[in-house]
Amino acid sequence: MAPKPLKVLRKGLAKFTATIEAHKKELSAKLDRMETISSSDEHWLDNDANTVDEQRVLDTLESASDYEQGLERLDEDGKAIVKKLREWAGDLEKNTGHKRSGCHRSTLDKKPNGY
């Protein structure tokens, strides 16, 4: 029996959070000591290390009466977040091989905003 979709997404969020936690704590400690951090670290904290969007999508899907219906109502960014969480959970293979016929490399390399 396949795992429930929300359980897979929760697992993906947990893995994603675990991978960023150490670096995030280190940067937060520097900020607490009033030390400066690089602009790239600041950007990372505000964007890549920020899991608010992932949590929002998960909350939206959890509150939907039906998972599939909730998924359909997500915007493109929300759907991209679901895909990313599924990849982190190991539920999807990451698209590393460009073996689809008819797909152009430039199309496959495009990433949603901020991902």
Side-chain angles (χ1 to χ4, degrees):
M1 180 179 205
K4 292 184 178 184
L6 288 173
K7 186 176 181 179
V8 169
L9 297 180
R10 278 190 222 99
K11 178 182 175 184
L13 182 58
K15 282 187 172 186
F16 178 64
T17 302
T19 61
I20 63 173
E21 200 59 37
H23 189 55
K24 194 173 179 178
K25 282 182 181 179
E26 177 185 321
L27 293 175
S28 293
K30 280 185 176 183
L31 291 171
D32 289 344
R33 293 188 305 265
M34 303 300 230
E35 295 177 23
T36 59
I37 60 173
S38 70
S39 61
S40 62
D41 282 338
E42 241 179 87
H43 179 76
W44 182 81
L45 278 173
D46 290 341
N47 295 287
D48 297 338
N50 187 336
T51 60
V52 171
D53 291 333
E54 289 80 3
Q55 189 61 55
R56 177 190 52 82
V57 167
L58 193 55
D59 291 344
T60 299
L61 291 173
E62 286 176 334
S63 66
S65 58
D66 175 70
Y67 174 82
E68 292 300 325
Q69 203 171 38
L71 190 60
E72 287 176 18
R73 290 183 178 165
L74 292 176
D75 61 12
E76 291 304 311
D77 288 340
K79 290 176 183 174
I81 288 170
V82 168
K83 182 179 178 188
K84 180 175 77 168
L85 291 176
R86 289 183 63 197
E87 287 174 351
W88 275 100
D91 190 51
L92 283 179
E93 291 292 321
K94 289 187 180 177
N95 190 8
T96 55
H98 303 291
K99 296 182 181 179
R100 293 183 182 170
S101 61
C103 287
H104 300 289
R105 183 171 178 84
S106 61
T107 304
L108 293 171
D109 290 340
K110 288 183 182 175
K111 294 181 180 179
N113 298 335
Y115 302 102

